[in-house]
């Protein structure tokens, strides 16, 4: 069925392209009766392109190119794009925008250059990961700005960030773990105990949904980042079962009682020489010291290994994982 006049169309471009389907609309006509075409996006599949065209017609982008600031573009990005990203990516981009993009809020987006963004990265002594998140933010905004013809050049591609440093992980000592246990009941320490007894990344724990926690079966389903890590089953250790019961609610996300930023701030005050990711290394190290099965450790942490193969969680497998995780004292 043909689209109505003025609705726009989807065309497949020739050659090998990552996103071969172009969505275009007609913005006017020349004096000799030819259409003035404006592309509004490029997509991997025809279905994605048709959805984008329908969304555009439902609520067309309306940017005043002469007055659109970074703040204006961010609001459009939140409305059109942000919710389509992973929960973890949403949190990172929002945090970076709120905490590091303020100097450019009221600057016209078409006037922002790579050195403006680079100054934010270079002059605030940020970690390499935060630098990467800033670049990621402007990469997303540039894509939307290109799509709406707000800019012609993506300056985010010229940003440089520090290289990922060599890993220098330090696991938590027995005394530090005892200190955490002694403060059980405090929100920051409760989150730390959840990390130490599940092996989850902090980003995974903050994305954990209440619907994926089964207190009857004493399991949870979560995970991000890799195919091996997504939607993995983790038995709930008896030591943290009361914490799970304490905080589970009808809300969507489990950690609704604390934001990730507040947790990270509190964590740094308590353990300035550690990172939250080191709880994950501590989890594996403790299991390894207790003689845990390699295959089960890989399943619990979401690591790919030759021994795992196709991941199928049978009842036997879950019981094996439960026996493994209960090796932790």
């Amino acid at each position: 069925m043909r689209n109505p006049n003025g609705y726009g169309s989807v065309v497949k471009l020739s050659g090998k392209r990552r996103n071969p389907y172009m969505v275009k609309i007609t913005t006017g006509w020349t004096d000799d009766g030819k259409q003035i075409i404006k592309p509004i996006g490029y997509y991997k599949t025809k279905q994605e392109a048709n959805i984008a065209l329908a969304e555009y017609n439902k609520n067309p982008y309306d940017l005043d190119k002469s007055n659109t600031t970074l703040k204006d573009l961010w609001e459009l990005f939140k409305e059109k794009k942000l919710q389509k990203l992973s929960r973890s990516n949403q949190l990172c981009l929002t945090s970076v925008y709120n905490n590091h993009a303020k100097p450019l809020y009221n600057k016209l987006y078409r006037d922002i250059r790579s050195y403006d963004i680079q100054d934010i990265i270079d002059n605030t002594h940020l970690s390499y990961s935060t630098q990467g998140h800033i670049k990621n933010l402007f990469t997303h905004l540039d894509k939307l700005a290109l799509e709406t013809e707000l800019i012609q050049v993506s300056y985010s591609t010229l940003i440089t960030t520090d290289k990922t440093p060599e890993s220098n992980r330090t696991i938590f000592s027995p005394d530090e773990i005892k200190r955490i246990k002694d403060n059980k009941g405090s929100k920051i320490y409760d989150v730390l105990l959840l990390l130490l007894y599940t092996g989850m990344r902090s980003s995974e724990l903050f994305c954990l949904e209440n619907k994926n926690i089964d207190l009857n079966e004493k399991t949870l389903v979560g995970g991000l980042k890799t195919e091996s890590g997504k939607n993995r089953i983790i038995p709930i250790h008896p030591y943290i079962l009361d914490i799970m019961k304490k905080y589970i609610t009808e809300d969507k996300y489990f950690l609704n009682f604390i934001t990730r930023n507040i947790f990270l701030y509190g964590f740094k005050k308590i353990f300035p020489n550690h990172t939250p990711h080191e709880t994950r290394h501590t989890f594996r190290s403790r299991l390894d010291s207790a003689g845990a099965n390699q295959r089960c450790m890989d399943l619990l942490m979401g690591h790919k290994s030759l021994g795992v193969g196709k991941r199928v969680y049978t009842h036997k497998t879950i019981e094996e994982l439960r026996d493994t995780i209960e090796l932790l004292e």
Side-chain angles (χ1 to χ4, degrees):
M1 186 171 65
R2 284 179 55 123
N3 291 329
N5 290 336
Y7 185 85
S9 60
V10 173
V11 295
K12 186 174 184 182
L13 303 176
S14 60
K16 291 185 177 180
R17 302 168 186 261
R18 180 174 295 179
N19 298 302
Y21 290 92
M22 178 178 71
V23 177
K24 62 179 183 176
I25 60 169
T26 301
T27 59
W29 303 83
T30 63
D31 292 338
D32 56 358
K34 293 182 179 179
Q35 288 178 302
I36 301 173
I37 299 298
K38 172 186 173 183
I40 64 168
Y42 298 86
Y43 301 88
K44 187 175 294 185
T45 67
K46 187 175 182 179
Q47 182 183 19
E48 290 175 354
N50 279 317
I51 291 172
L53 180 58
E55 289 180 349
Y56 175 84
N57 277 281
K58 184 178 179 181
N59 189 10
Y61 306 152
D62 183 18
L63 289 180
D64 179 351
K65 295 179 176 58
S66 62
N67 293 312
T68 300
T69 63
L70 169 63
K71 191 174 182 179
D72 296 328
L73 188 65
W74 168 256
E75 291 303 319
L76 181 63
F77 176 75
K78 280 202 303 182
E79 177 188 347
K80 299 288 186 181
K81 307 290 186 181
L82 188 63
Q83 298 305 316
K84 298 176 183 178
L85 303 177
S86 69
R87 168 73 173 169
S88 177
N89 211 354
Q90 290 179 41
L91 292 172
C92 286
L93 292 175
T94 303
S95 176
V96 164
Y97 175 79
N98 289 336
N99 294 306
H100 302 293
K102 288 181 181 178
L104 301 177
Y105 274 4
N106 297 315
K107 191 176 180 71
L108 294 180
Y109 198 82
R110 59 185 171 84
D111 291 340
I112 294 176
R113 298 294 182 264
S114 57
Y115 54 78
D116 294 311
I117 309 167
Q118 195 69 55
D119 282 346
I120 294 175
I121 291 175
D122 293 343
N123 297 332
T124 46
H125 308 292
L126 301 172
S127 68
Y128 77 94
S129 59
T130 303
Q131 293 178 31
H133 293 321
I134 292 174
K135 183 171 183 176
N136 188 30
L137 168 67
F138 281 94
T139 298
H140 279 288
L141 292 178
D142 273 5
K143 286 176 68 176
L144 180 56
L146 287 167
E147 184 178 324
T148 56
E149 297 185 340
L150 186 63
I151 60 174
Q152 303 300 317
V153 178
S154 175
Y155 289 101
S156 62
T157 58
L158 304 177
I159 301 170
T160 58
T161 59
D162 290 345
K163 293 181 179 179
T164 304
E166 292 185 11
S167 178
N168 186 25
R169 306 292 187 187
T170 303
I171 66 171
F172 285 74
S173 69
D175 286 343
E176 289 171 327
I177 294 173
K178 182 179 183 303
R179 177 185 172 189
I180 295 170
K181 288 181 174 181
D182 288 345
N183 286 279
K184 186 177 183 181
S186 172
K187 291 179 180 178
I188 301 290
Y189 288 99
D190 280 353
V191 174
L192 281 171
L193 287 170
L194 293 171
L195 293 171
L196 284 168
Y197 280 89
T198 62
M200 300 180 82
R201 301 174 179 88
S202 62
S203 57
E204 293 175 329
L205 187 60
F206 275 89
C207 291
L208 177 64
E209 297 186 18
N210 280 306
K211 69 179 183 180
N212 291 328
I213 299 172
D214 188 333
L215 293 179
N216 291 324
E217 294 295 325
K218 300 184 177 113
T219 60
L220 60 87
V221 179
L224 304 167
K225 200 169 182 179
T226 66
E227 286 305 312
S228 298
K230 291 177 182 176
N231 298 320
R232 65 186 187 271
I233 292 180
I234 302 174
I236 298 173
H237 192 285
Y239 187 73
I240 60 169
L241 183 59
D242 59 334
I243 299 177
M244 304 295 292
K245 289 180 178 179
K246 176 182 177 181
Y247 293 118
I248 195 166
T249 65
E250 296 297 320
D251 292 339
K252 183 175 182 181
Y253 293 103
F254 175 63
L255 291 185
N256 62 348
F257 58 89
I258 190 171
T259 67
R260 193 178 181 199
N261 282 342
I262 290 176
F263 165 70
L264 293 175
Y265 177 78
F267 175 86
K268 268 302 176 187
K269 291 187 69 174
I270 300 169
F271 293 110
N273 297 321
H274 280 293
T275 67
H277 198 72
E278 288 171 352
T279 59
R280 186 166 157 85
H281 289 266
T282 304
F283 173 81
R284 185 170 189 114
S285 177
R286 293 172 72 202
L287 284 178
D288 189 59
S289 296
N293 176 278
Q294 178 73 39
R295 172 180 173 275
C296 288
M297 285 195 293
D298 287 336
L299 282 172
L300 288 169
M301 300 195 69
H303 286 168
K304 188 175 182 180
S305 75
L306 295 176
V308 172
K310 185 177 180 181
R311 184 178 52 177
V312 178
Y313 288 101
T314 63
H315 179 74
K316 179 182 177 182
T317 304
I318 295 173
E319 288 308 307
E320 288 175 338
L321 294 178
R322 192 180 306 282
D323 290 342
T324 299
I325 212 163
E326 289 184 6
L327 290 172
L328 298 175
E329 293 179 0

